[in-house]
């Protein structure tokens, strides 16, 4: 794996660790100042912090479990599961919604993200 691929993988893992740790301040060291979220239709770090804060308020136990991470130079594709949702079955017996994200890394920071999730969709 190239240095750029190692760097891309590391920043991707830091993003999910920050989410799971509710560490909004870490976004400054993970996202580029001109970060673009295509799913949210927003730009900037503040928009992500706001979106995460809303998710934490709606689902206090939410966390992301990375299942697969594929890296190709500056691109990272991640398949993850969303766990700890406030509307989940006790004991976690329900199927966890899947999230698919692709992001582009520039100078060690995530510059752009695309993604889809099954959050809010019926399982099946």
């Amino acid at each position: 794996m190239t240095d750029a691929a190692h760097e891309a993988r590391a920043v991707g893992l830091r993003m999910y660790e920050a989410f799971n740790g509710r560490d909004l301040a870490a976004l400054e060291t993970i996202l580029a100042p001109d970060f673009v979220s295509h799913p949210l239709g927003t730009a900037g770090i503040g928009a992500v912090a706001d979106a995460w804060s809303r998710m934490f308020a709606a689902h206090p136990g939410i966390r992301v479990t990375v299942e697969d991470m594929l890296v190709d130079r500056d691109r990272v594709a991640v398949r993850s599961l969303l766990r700890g949702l406030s509307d989940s079955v006790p004991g976690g017996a329900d199927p966890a919604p899947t999230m698919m994200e692709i992001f582009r890394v520039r100078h060690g920071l995530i510059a752009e993200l695309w993604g889809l999730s099954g959050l809010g969709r019926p399982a099946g």
Side-chain angles (χ1 to χ4, degrees), residues 40-115:
L40 295 176
T42 60
I45 297 168
V48 176
D50 291 345
W52 283 16
S53 293
R54 287 191 303 275
M55 286 295 290
F56 301 152
H59 306 283
I62 194 170
R63 67 189 184 289
V64 176
T65 303
V66 173
E67 296 289 312
D68 295 299
M69 181 177 277
L70 305 171
V71 181
D72 185 18
R73 296 172 304 218
D74 67 339
R75 303 287 171 135
V76 180
V78 180
R79 181 181 65 88
S80 58
L81 298 176
L82 295 168
R83 302 201 184 270
L85 299 173
S86 57
D87 56 354
S88 62
V89 174
D94 62 324
T98 300
M99 185 167 56
M100 299 289 294
E101 294 179 303
I102 297 172
F103 50 88
R104 182 175 60 83
V105 175
R106 183 182 71 230
H107 306 300
L109 300 171
I110 298 173
E112 203 168 4
L113 181 139
W114 300 263

Side-chain angles (χ1 to χ4, degrees), residues 21-39:
R22 310 301 192 255
D23 187 356
L24 299 177
L27 290 172
E28 296 285 336
T29 66
I30 295 167
L31 303 178
D34 59 346
F35 171 79
V36 175
S37 171
H38 294 281

